[in-house]
Amino acid sequence: MPPLLFYLFALITLGFGFMVVTGRNPVTCALSLAASFVGLAALFLSLDAYFIAVIQILVYAGAVMVLFLFIIMLLDIKTEEGKKLNMPAIVSGVLLAVLLTLQIAAVVGSTELAKKTSQDTPLALAEAATKIGKAAALPTITNDLKSGTLPDAKLIGFTLFDQYGFHLQVIGLLLLVGTIGVVVLSKRERSAP
Amino acid sequence: MITLGHYLVVSGMLFSLGLAGVIARRNIIIVYMCLEMMLSAANLALVGFSRFHLANGLPDYTAQSLVFFTITVAAAEVAVGLAIIVALFRSKQSVDVESVTKLQG
């Protein structure tokens, strides 16, 4: 990815992220968050993580944001204009954020690992076809690798079902419990007789 | 050239923005949005490390599997959290975090 595009998408992600934090109208905040997530998905694309980028758009910018907008409009939340700002919280929040950013920048600046570029770590697709262990038994993956395309979703799927099958089922159970929890929480309590 | 450090700094800045929002904002729904932003920032760092730490010439897919799990958990968390916010709004008629002070000593 050309550096210019990286800076553009980083600016979109952080700029709209800033609008989420400072916006007065919840609907503006929700839409800014969606835009910020789209910028983040573009950054994922630049890291050759195509599957994660698509998931980011579908789940975050799609499902999660619709849920947020739905709740904002259901509750009919007004802009919090007129309310006085909570100065101590704002000052401490900004201070903590600046300190954390500086600390992360200092750590990143002092490690050798962080100086790696994508030229230092080029993807070796054709060579990888013979070295991927059990996944090499699957022609759909090896053929993609030999023809020079990255079978991103297939490799994530293989990793998930090969090594993390149990965890995947636990996640499925978590989603089920979450669904039941939402139904229980949003049921109106009956008034005591 | 864009290095791993660039991605990590963007991730850190996004996380810090979310942290500032969680501390400073009073609208509980916006606090929740900022939490989502912090989760995404962590995902960006994970995907960055995955790309720049190659395993057999391919990105490290263990990290991307972890991102997959994080996104799933975040989706479940949003659903439950927003249901709690709706329940809270029903009892308090407000989404201001300062309207919930029952557990304050």
Side-chain angles (χ1 to χ4, degrees):
Chain A
M1 183 186 238
L4 190 68
L5 279 182
F6 169 83
Y7 288 115
L8 176 71
F9 288 122
L11 194 71
I12 288 177
T13 308
L14 293 174
F16 281 108
F18 185 75
M19 278 173 69
V20 175
V21 177
T22 53
R24 306 291 284 166
N25 186 342
V27 178
T28 319
C29 290
L31 292 177
S32 305
L33 189 62
S36 172
F37 282 156
V38 171
L40 200 63
L43 288 181
F44 287 154
L45 277 183
S46 76
L47 286 165
D48 297 313
Y50 307 106
F51 178 70
I52 299 295
V54 171
I55 289 282
Q56 172 85 14
I57 298 236
L58 283 182
V59 176
Y60 271 118
V64 167
M65 292 327 297
V66 166
L67 211 58
F68 268 113
L69 282 174
F70 182 73
I71 295 299
I72 290 170
M73 291 175 181
L74 181 78
L75 301 187
D76 194 21
I77 297 157
K78 305 279 184 306
T79 0
E80 46 187 272
E81 272 171 71
K83 279 187 195 168
K84 64 174 183 355
L85 294 168
N86 186 359
M87 266 344 255
I90 291 175
V91 170
S92 56
V94 170
L95 199 68
L96 258 178
V98 169
L99 282 179
L100 187 61
T101 311
L102 288 179
Q103 190 173 19
I104 289 171
V107 170
V108 165
S110 65
T111 35
E112 278 305 305
L113 179 73
K115 293 188 181 69
K116 274 191 185 177
T117 67
S118 46
Q119 259 93 49
D120 299 338
T121 54
L123 296 181
L125 297 178
E127 292 92 89
T130 54
K131 286 192 289 188
I132 44 179
K134 273 191 278 179
L138 294 172
T140 171
I141 292 180
T142 47
N143 288 346
D144 277 1
L145 285 173
K146 277 173 194 156
S147 67
T149 50
L150 182 64
D152 182 61
K154 290 173 189 168
L155 282 165
I156 292 181
F158 186 83
T159 314
L160 279 179
F161 286 99
D162 184 49
Q163 294 174 39
Y164 302 106
F166 174 69
H167 308 73
L168 205 64
Q169 295 193 22
V170 171
I171 285 285
L173 195 67
L174 175 81
L175 284 175
L176 176 69
V177 171
T179 316
I180 296 171
V182 170
V183 173
V184 171
L185 277 172
S186 39
K187 235 169 70 175
R188 270 184 199 284
E189 271 177 47
R190 275 192 216 132
S191 50
Chain B
M1 270 318 292
I2 303 303
T3 62
L4 172 61
H6 285 81
Y7 287 99
L8 293 182
V9 168
V10 170
S11 158
M13 283 167 79
L14 197 62
F15 188 92
S16 307
L17 268 177
L19 182 68
V22 168
I23 296 171
R25 293 306 297 252
R26 298 198 305 183
N27 187 329
I28 202 161
I29 292 187
I30 293 174
V31 169
Y32 221 71
M33 288 180 199
C34 293
L35 277 177
E36 290 304 308
M37 227 156 76
M38 288 160 82
L39 276 170
S40 302
N43 285 348
L44 180 62
L46 269 173
V47 175
F49 280 122
S50 142
R51 173 62 185 81
F52 290 94
H53 177 269
L54 297 183
N56 298 327
L58 292 174
D60 194 337
Y61 281 106
T62 312
Q64 296 199 16
S65 305
L66 186 55
V67 172
F68 176 83
F69 285 129
T70 318
I71 290 179
T72 320
V73 171
E77 175 224 330
V78 166
V80 176
L82 286 176
I84 292 176
I85 290 177
V86 171
L88 199 69
F89 186 79
R90 273 197 198 133
S91 68
K92 302 272 181 195
Q93 297 303 311
S94 159
V95 285
D96 195 319
V97 282
E98 278 162 30
S99 67
V100 194
T101 48
K102 211 165 193 176
L103 284 184
Q104 208 172 60

